[in-house]
């Protein structure tokens, strides 16, 4: 027996059929909303001045608030220093914040 399944996407604001998903971000958070043609036009009109004035970034770029503020240390160098100083550190993987802080304080 064959089965036919249909997915109907409805507008999240007014429940109308034929909506499409719109993705957007605000204040470091990504959102999706399903909007029909009428509500999508309203959405685009409301955002237009901000889109025109804003800078477009690639999806892979992280927000400035999540970037490291200091110089990035060579992990192999940190591991070698930790072993020389009797600190427990694995050969691979994450280096604990405590070890990184000790390394940075020593350099």
């Amino acid at each position: 027996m064959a089965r036919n399944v249909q997915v109907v996407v409805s507008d999240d604001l007014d429940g109308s059929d034929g909506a499409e998903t719109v993705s957007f971000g605000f204040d470091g958070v990504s959102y999706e909303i399903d909007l029909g043609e009428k509500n999508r036009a309203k959405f685009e009109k409301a955002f237009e001045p901000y889109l025109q004035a804003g800078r477009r970034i690639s999806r892979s770029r992280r927000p400035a608030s999540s970037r490291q503020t200091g110089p990035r240390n060579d992990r192999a160098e940190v591991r070698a220093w930790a072993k020389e100083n009797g600190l427990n550190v694995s050969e691979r993987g994450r280096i604990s914040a405590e070890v990184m802080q000790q390394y940075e304080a020593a350099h």
Side-chain angles (χ1 to χ4, degrees), residues 8-61:
V8 177
V9 181
S10 59
D11 190 300
D12 288 334
L13 297 177
D14 64 15
S16 62
D17 291 340
E20 293 182 2
T21 301
V22 176
S23 300
F24 64 99
F26 179 73
D27 210 13
V29 179
S30 296
Y31 297 88
E32 285 188 343
I33 188 169
D34 298 325
L35 297 174
E37 191 174 322
K38 181 180 168 185
N39 283 328
R40 183 180 176 119
K42 287 180 186 178
F43 181 85
E44 289 174 352
K45 186 176 180 181
F47 269 79
E48 187 175 1
Y50 304 101
L51 296 174
Q52 293 296 321
R55 293 175 298 282
R56 188 173 186 159
I57 60 171
S58 68
R59 290 185 186 264
S60 63
R61 182 174 164 189

